[in-house]
Amino acid sequence: MNRAEKEQYLRDYELLKKQGKPFFPYAVMKDSTMALGPQADPTSTTYTPRPDWYFFFLFEVLRVLKPPYLVPLATIGIPTIAMVLLFLLPFYDRGPERRPERRPIAMSAMAMTIVVMAFLTYKGANAGPPTTVDLQVPKQYEAGKLVVGQSACLACHKIADSGNGTLAPDLTHIGSRIPRAAILRSLVAGPSIMPSFKSLGQKKLNEVANFLSYLK
Ligand code: HEC
């Protein structure tokens, strides 16, 4: 850019700048309008975290793999192995054949990858929220299971594969440990850090107690 061009550029820039709109309030206004939505609630336990759709397959792998020692293998190991295999492809696939029908191994590997990723993506997209107890129970205990899932019990307690279970006793076999009446008493009293769930009302408390005492 020579001197004349540079001056021309600076003149044009000045002109354009005069026609433009200042950052405040225009851009600020637009940004704040975009940000309008329900107010964030840091105490909400009903928020369902979801990755973007193209990560659903990894998300699903993480969801079905429960043992912690398998998690690094699934999230770092398998994708890394796949990437390395892809990078090394020109070195180990030295065959001169290019027609797809003459490359059964490559084609079936590709088809399998697509099918598996599509299946995992579908499963991940339809996965239930973390506020449900992942457990098959007879119909009469479904109501209590639902209340337990929605009442943030899983923030402290573990039930089978659901919940954290670091803060409070594991409830997976609570029915064989304490009688139904004791479960009800715990729910109403709220021992130690556990809040009282009296406000759920007698009907829901009974449903929860039925469900928990079924967990033998
Ligand atoms: C803030 C954490 C927290 C939440 C939320 C919570 N609990 Fe608890 N819960 C505890 C702790 C801690 C104990 C053990 C208290 C103790 O033994 O001193 C406990 C004890 C219990 C017990 C008695 C367990 C036993 O082995 O005697 C039951 C039953 C129970 N909780 C059910 C529930 C249900 C059902 C919900 C949801 C409606 C719930 N809890 C929500 C923390 C929590």
Side-chain angles (χ1 to χ4, degrees):
M1 195 189 276
N2 62 33
R3 205 186 154 85
E5 280 172 341
K6 196 167 179 178
E7 275 169 10
Q8 180 64 39
Y9 169 79
L10 284 174
R11 262 197 307 278
D12 288 349
Y13 178 70
E14 266 315 303
L15 274 175
L16 278 176
K17 206 171 161 185
K18 286 207 181 89
Q19 290 170 10
K21 293 174 174 171
F23 185 75
F24 182 85
Y26 294 97
V28 172
M29 182 61 199
K30 270 191 185 156
D31 284 358
S32 44
T33 314
M34 287 299 292
L36 280 182
Q39 201 174 16
D41 176 5
T43 62
S44 167
T45 53
T46 52
Y47 172 69
T48 306
R50 274 281 178 278
D52 285 318
W53 67 267
Y54 42 85
F55 281 134
F56 274 153
F57 72 100
L58 265 186
F59 167 71
E60 178 64 16
V61 169
L62 258 186
R63 236 175 54 82
V64 293
L65 276 182
K66 298 292 183 186
Y69 60 87
L70 280 180
V71 168
L73 176 73
T75 52
I76 304 172
I78 294 174
T80 306
I81 292 171
M83 288 298 279
V84 169
L85 281 178
L86 212 53
F87 270 117
L88 295 182
L89 188 62
F91 298 100
Y92 61 79
D93 185 5
R94 313 275 306 227
E97 199 55 72
R98 299 189 63 179
R99 274 176 294 178
E101 67 270 25
R102 295 278 180 87
R103 304 182 60 197
I105 298 180
M107 293 314 285
S108 36
M110 185 186 77
M112 245 156 63
T113 308
I114 291 175
V115 167
V116 168
M117 281 180 73
F119 176 70
L120 288 174
T121 300
Y122 171 78
K123 294 282 285 177
N126 292 291
T131 48
T132 53
V133 184
D134 248 338
L135 210 61
Q136 295 285 353
V137 296
K139 221 175 159 116
Q140 69 266 36
Y141 303 118
E142 283 291 342
K145 188 179 97 172
L146 196 70
V147 178
V148 167
Q150 291 169 346
S151 305
C153 314
L154 296 176
C156 298
H157 291 282
K158 194 171 146 72
I159 300 178
D161 284 335
S162 305
N164 287 315
T166 47
L167 292 169
D170 188 329
L171 297 182
T172 309
H173 306 292
I174 182 71
S176 59
R177 267 199 290 122
I178 59 174
R180 187 180 180 283
I183 292 174
L184 259 183
R185 269 199 302 279
S186 292
L187 287 172
V188 174
S192 91
I193 57 164
M194 179 167 152
S196 165
F197 285 91
K198 212 170 153 180
S199 58
L200 281 178
Q202 201 54 51
K203 181 167 171 283
K204 283 188 174 175
L205 286 176
N206 278 329
E207 289 168 350
V208 171
N210 288 345
F211 166 62
L212 289 182
S213 44
Y214 162 76
L215 301 176
K216 298 280 170 158

